[in-house]
Amino acid sequence: MSGRSTVLSVFAFSCGVILLYRLAVLPAQVWLCLATVAAIFLLFPVRRMLPEACWPLIIGFTLGAFWAALWAHERLDQRLPDGLEGEKANVSGYVCSLPAAGSFNSIRFSFCVTRWYGVSLTQQANSSLPKTLRLAWYGLSETRLPDHRLRLEVVLKKPHGALNPAGFRYEDWLFRKGYRATGSVRSAASDPSVSCALECQYHRFHMQLADWVDEQFVKSSYHPLIASLLIGNRGHLSSEHWDVLKATGTIHLVAISGLHLGLVALGAGLIARRFLLVISSYRLSERFVRLAAFGVVLSCCLLYALAAGFTVPTRRALIMVAVGSWVLLKARHEPAWHSLVIALGLVLLLDPFAPLDQGFWLSFGAVSVLLCVFAGRLGGTGWLTGLLLAQGAVFAGLWPLLELVGQGQPVAGLLANIFAIPWVSLVVMPVLVVSGILVALFPPALDLAIALMDAVLGIIWGFLGWVAHMKWPDLNGNTIEIGGFAVLVLLIATVPIRAFQAVGLVVVLSWAAAAGLPSDAGNSRVAEPEVRVWDVGQGLSAMLRAGDEVLLYDTGPEVKGVFSAAESVLIPNLKALGVNRIDTLVISHADSDHSGGLNRVLEAFEVGRIVTGEPAAVREKLEQGAAVSVHGCAGKSLFGNEFSLFYWQATGDFKGNDASCVLSARQGQAAEWLFSGDISSRIEPLYLEAAEADTPDFKPRERIILAPHHGSKTSSSEVWVNELNPSLVIYTAGYRHRYGHPHKDVTARYRSVGARALNTACSGSLIMKVADGIVETTEARHKAPFWISGRGLARDRCKIP
């Protein structure tokens, strides 16, 4: 096979792997085998009749899809039995990640299981048990476990997370990492009987290395950064660290990846080559010197990757460095794109789940942009010009990718990375590596090493903090504008026509200036009114849209420094829908599962007004300078010329749940949606009386109720259920949450009146529209990928009691 055919085959193989993850249903293994065999044996006899490129493309694509599907089947076959969810189980194994401090005084870690205890578990014939668990151990004051090899008593559940059209999906992350069950630890004891093979020994070494780094450099003012940059231990980084890194677009600096391994490869290669030429240049051939340097480079990069935890980004970077070094070793004049394609194929061959990583796309996207700008350039560029050109091209080229994955492109990153990348590359990393080796070989040098580390890290961290706190404009643009901006910047960087570059630069700067101005852009319009209920776990958030008007009811839960539905769900989903303004924000009451992330919503969107059942408590939550009016819950209004809104709150000295603002949204006689907050059974009759007095004998064809208090047994009384007689009840509860919502007595009441029931924990987010007088409901789980919606998984087995 020629070099061109090889590259085509590898590219097609990569496409086959990537496109598999666009499927909603994973093909059965037998069909995959038949398709692969058919592609090879049926097309082989006629391959000469096909265009030259067809045969390698067809075979490569088929093999790629088959390869990825085999691994996907193997991972999905690891399932937690239904009877084991929520029950205590005993497992033995070893810790296979660095323990990190978590929320609620806990530590979180990965656990590789070598043995499950219990006779009934050995009888599972249809599926294998999970091999890797994601665990939390609550009530510990420090991030130390009893031992590396442990026997644990755990309570587990199947992988599950919020399911919405956009935003972070925890289930994607769990599947990609191979965690086939999550849970908590009830007790732990050392278990020397666990067999500790090579992988186990490596994880023990990495934990010991992390402990050594912590012990040696804990007195440093920048200990979290040292641990992150030296060995990839980001567990010590605080929320303040992450805020600065996000604001400046420099998170990549603390993730051991291509930048860090590239530096190691460059330094090791230069030193090895120079050393070999000096000691025996007259005895060794140039080929031997190059081969020896290649071996030293790979060895040093592998050692650093192992020290850094051998994580997915590190392995990916190691492969890319190895391919690049091999090309330099062979000194062949081949297109740089061929090397990129080979590296892509090798990454997907060794890690077929890589396309589920945002880092995968950003890594190869950044390398592609740099190749586009610098490959084939006839004249060289100075170091400063090259740095500015590379940073500008990567900023523009990755912007469309970041938009597609729901992230923004901070303008501060342009300035921050121009200084941070060379400083970290040329100063920080050499100082950290040399200081670490020096302390390991000569412990009395610890104080000097810490002083040097603090000096170089203090400069970069002070600079990043200064950049992060500057007022930067937000560049506003739609997908087409951002894509056009990226293409134009790359053309300016690659087309060597001065007139074109000058005109293009004027256009780019003009657009950037206009995009950075405060925008009063309205919302995108919807052809048909709709109601959406977001999947925010144990909490509530819903949205009404009609025309270009938007009403948001509650903002979901928030746990400071851990989870915010506003950041993870609401902001990315509303942005994806083209929402820039929330006309009315209803906060039913001030509890954190209904008003979480309120200030983040106010920062991200223009809000017309806030309506709430607890005005004083909500005002206390608002940050100083929040220019939004807060109103009590009362009155009626017309929303988007489609919905008639009726706001109601119980009169009296009520606080908390019973102070909830209840909202009725009626779309003519076709449907009524009732958002009831957390009112209890003692408030429900009061609302029924008020609603009857407002519109006597109102009987919509369909009535949809968001169950009060997530289906708690203290709400949804028989009077409430029988009087309203809903056609659909929606529970917004967490999956297997400790509160046990919805309660079985409540679900039985709604079932007795014939109400259909949905739970966001099972269905994911919901979209409801009226078509021909009938409410049509779309569940997110029906459009979810195969690792979320597949048979036997959490949402397939999820039941309402």
Side-chain angles (χ1 to χ4, degrees):
M1 184 180 289
S2 66
R4 180 172 178 272
S5 296
T6 300
V7 172
L8 285 175
S9 298
V10 173
F11 179 75
F13 174 88
S14 304
C15 291
V17 174
I18 292 170
L19 291 177
L20 180 85
Y21 297 104
R22 304 299 300 172
L23 301 179
V25 178
L26 182 63
Q29 291 167 303
V30 61
W31 292 111
L32 288 168
C33 291
L34 290 176
T36 305
V37 171
I40 294 175
F41 288 99
L42 295 182
L43 294 178
F44 184 78
V46 296
R47 68 188 187 283
R48 298 186 183 279
M49 301 171 60
L50 300 172
E52 182 182 355
C54 282
W55 174 248
L57 287 174
I58 293 172
I59 294 301
F61 182 86
T62 306
L63 290 176
F66 178 68
W67 178 250
L70 281 181
W71 283 96
H73 274 291
E74 189 275 337
R75 183 158 291 181
L76 289 176
D77 284 343
Q78 301 174 40
R79 295 180 185 176
L80 188 70
D82 295 344
L84 199 56
E85 274 199 295
E87 302 295 331
K88 292 181 179 179
N90 286 278
V91 295
S92 286
Y94 57 91
V95 179
C96 46
S97 74
L98 295 178
S103 58
F104 305 112
N105 197 27
S106 68
I107 60 172
R108 299 179 182 274
F109 58 95
S110 306
F111 192 74
C112 292
V113 180
T114 57
R115 182 180 178 186
W116 291 77
Y117 295 91
V119 177
S120 60
L121 297 178
T122 62
Q123 299 173 355
Q124 298 295 324
N126 297 326
S127 64
S128 60
L129 294 167
K131 298 176 182 177
T132 310
L133 311 176
R134 184 62 176 170
L135 300 175
W137 194 356
Y138 295 92
L140 294 185
S141 57
E142 57 182 29
T143 58
R144 287 187 179 273
L145 297 170
D147 194 4
H148 176 239
R149 293 177 290 175
L150 298 168
R151 175 166 176 164
L152 305 177
E153 183 181 65
V154 294
V155 176
L156 302 172
K157 61 182 179 181
K158 296 180 180 181
H160 187 280
L163 180 58
N164 297 280
F168 175 71
R169 285 207 298 228
Y170 186 50
E171 276 178 273
D172 290 355
W173 184 82
L174 291 173
F175 177 71
R176 194 269 172 274
K177 298 293 185 182
Y179 301 123
R180 302 311 299 146
T182 64
S184 58
V185 178
R186 299 305 169 88
S187 65
S190 177
D191 189 355
S193 66
V194 172
S195 175
C196 199
L198 182 62
E199 184 177 355
C200 171
Q201 295 285 358
Y202 165 69
H203 286 294
R204 180 167 62 181
F205 156 76
H206 193 233
M207 289 178 65
Q208 292 172 345
L209 179 62
D211 290 340
W212 180 84
V213 170
D214 290 343
E215 291 171 2
Q216 298 298 320
F217 304 112
V218 68
K219 295 181 180 179
S220 168
S221 302
Y222 301 97
H223 165 238
L225 295 176
I226 293 173
S228 179
L229 291 169
L230 268 183
I231 60 170
N233 182 9
R234 300 193 289 178
H236 299 298
L237 294 175
S238 65
S239 57
E240 289 75 16
H241 287 109
W242 289 114
D243 289 341
V244 171
L245 294 170
K246 288 178 183 178
T248 56
T250 52
I251 290 179
H252 62 94
L253 295 179
V254 295
I256 305 300
S257 56
L259 172 66
H260 308 80
L261 283 181
L263 292 171
V264 172
L266 180 62
L270 290 175
I271 293 173
R273 181 176 173 81
R274 179 67 62 183
F275 178 76
L276 290 170
L277 289 175
V278 166
I279 63 171
S280 54
S281 59
Y282 61 93
R283 294 180 181 175
L284 301 178
S285 66
E286 173 66 15
R287 176 177 175 78
F288 180 84
V289 171
R290 295 168 69 92
L291 189 62
F294 174 72
V296 171
V297 166
L298 276 192
S299 300
C300 291
C301 287
L302 179 60
L303 287 174
Y304 184 60
L306 291 172
F310 213 58
T311 58
V312 170
T314 308
R315 295 196 297 267
R316 182 171 61 241
L318 181 62
I319 293 171
M320 297 177 75
V321 168
V323 172
S325 301
W326 178 255
V327 170
L328 293 176
L329 170 68
K330 302 300 289 184
R332 293 178 179 176
H333 296 287
E334 295 181 353
W337 293 100
H338 287 189
S339 302
L340 182 65
V341 171
I342 297 300
L344 175 66
L346 284 174
V347 167
L348 294 174
L349 177 68
L350 299 176
D351 182 15
F353 300 102
L356 297 176
D357 256 347
Q358 291 183 5
F360 167 82
W361 297 99
L362 296 178
S363 295
F364 279 100
V367 175
S368 299
V369 168
L370 294 175
L371 287 179
C372 180
V373 172
F374 293 105
R377 183 176 286 270
L378 297 177
T381 60
W383 70 268
L384 181 58
T385 303
L387 175 64
L388 295 175
L389 190 61
Q391 179 56 32
V394 170
F395 176 87
L398 291 188
W399 192 0
L401 276 177
L402 289 168
E403 286 293 323
L404 289 175
V405 299
Q407 297 184 19
Q409 179 70 292
V411 181
L414 272 173
L415 175 60
N417 281 289
I418 285 174
F419 174 72
I421 290 178
W423 184 259
V424 171
S425 304
L426 302 177
V427 179
V428 173
M429 288 306 300
V431 168
L432 292 186
V433 172
V434 171
S435 297
I437 296 174
L438 180 64
V439 171
L441 299 177
F442 187 63
L446 176 61
D447 292 338
L448 174 61
I450 290 179
L452 288 173
M453 291 177 170
D454 283 352
V456 298
L457 287 172
I459 293 173
I460 184 61
W461 194 250
F463 172 75
L464 292 180
W466 173 69
V467 172
H469 289 94
M470 292 176 65
K471 184 64 176 179
W472 294 91
D474 292 326
L475 295 182
N476 302 301
N478 57 41
T479 304
I480 296 177
E481 291 174 340
I482 293 171
F485 174 82
V487 171
L488 183 55
V489 170
L490 294 180
L491 287 175
I492 293 172
T494 54
V495 177
I497 301 176
R498 294 291 181 137
F500 173 80
Q501 291 175 333
V503 173
L505 191 59
V506 171
V507 173
V508 165
L509 294 176
S510 301
W511 180 87
L517 294 174
S519 174
D520 57 354
N523 300 325
S524 61
R525 298 183 65 88
V526 289
E528 300 292 336
E530 65 178 20
V531 177
R532 293 179 181 244
V533 180
W534 305 112
D535 181 7
V536 295
Q538 184 69 23
L540 173 61
S541 184
M543 180 184 71
L544 275 68
R545 292 181 80 194
D548 63 350
E549 295 188 42
V550 172
L551 180 148
L552 186 67
Y553 187 92
D554 283 344
T555 55
E558 179 184 43
V559 178
K560 293 290 186 180
V562 179
F563 172 78
S564 170
E567 292 187 9
S568 299
V569 178
L570 299 185
I571 294 175
N573 278 278
L574 293 179
K575 291 291 187 182
L577 293 172
V579 173
N580 297 299
R581 171 185 169 85
I582 299 172
D583 297 278
T584 302
L585 174 57
V586 180
I587 301 296
S588 61
H589 59 301
D591 284 4
S592 61
D593 59 335
H594 292 257
S595 63
L598 173 59
N599 289 294
R600 286 291 295 115
V601 172
L602 294 177
E603 291 172 7
F605 303 98
E606 179 188 355
V607 176
R609 62 170 183 159
I610 294 177
V611 176
T612 177
E614 295 188 289
V618 168
R619 287 192 187 98
E620 290 180 2
K621 281 178 169 277
L622 298 180
E623 294 179 351
Q624 290 185 354
V628 60
S629 57
V630 180
H631 303 269
C633 179
K636 300 170 65 175
S637 64
L638 186 64
F639 180 76
N641 294 319
E642 293 286 352
F643 292 103
S644 298
L645 304 182
F646 173 50
Y647 298 91
W648 178 88
Q649 179 185 18
T651 57
D653 187 21
F654 295 107
K655 296 180 180 179
N657 291 347
D658 284 344
S660 293
C661 179
V662 179
L663 173 63
S664 167
R666 300 167 180 173
Q667 191 173 352
Q669 293 291 322
E672 177 189 25
W673 284 267
L674 189 57
F675 306 88
S676 51
D678 279 354
I679 61 172
S680 67
S681 56
R682 69 168 177 164
I683 302 298
E684 291 169 352
L686 302 179
Y687 170 78
L688 296 175
E689 293 176 8
E692 178 64 22
D694 179 67
T695 51
D697 301 321
F698 175 71
K699 299 293 183 184
R701 285 190 291 273
E702 295 191 57
R703 177 176 278 135
I704 299 94
I705 294 178
L706 274 71
H709 202 187
H710 320 289
S712 166
K713 64 180 179 181
T714 61
S715 303
S716 297
S717 62
E718 289 188 14
V719 173
W720 170 269
V721 174
N722 292 331
E723 183 68 23
L724 292 175
N725 191 25
S727 54
L728 172 64
V729 59
I730 299 172
Y731 305 105
T732 56
Y735 179 72
R736 288 189 169 270
H737 196 271
R738 66 181 186 276
Y739 291 155
H741 297 157
H743 194 272
K744 61 180 181 180
D745 293 343
V746 171
T747 60
R749 289 183 202 128
Y750 284 108
R751 197 177 294 118
S752 68
V753 298
R756 187 165 68 100
L758 294 175
N759 188 350
T760 52
C762 303
S763 302
S765 62
L766 303 169
I767 305 174
M768 290 167 281
K769 298 180 181 180
V770 174
D772 299 326
I774 299 174
V775 177
E776 295 182 347
T777 304
T778 303
E779 303 175 52
R781 66 171 177 171
H782 294 318
K783 296 183 178 181
F786 61 80
W787 60 89
I788 294 177
S789 61
R791 291 177 60 86
L793 302 180
R795 293 186 185 274
D796 180 59
R797 307 296 295 177
C798 181
K799 305 297 180 185
I800 297 175

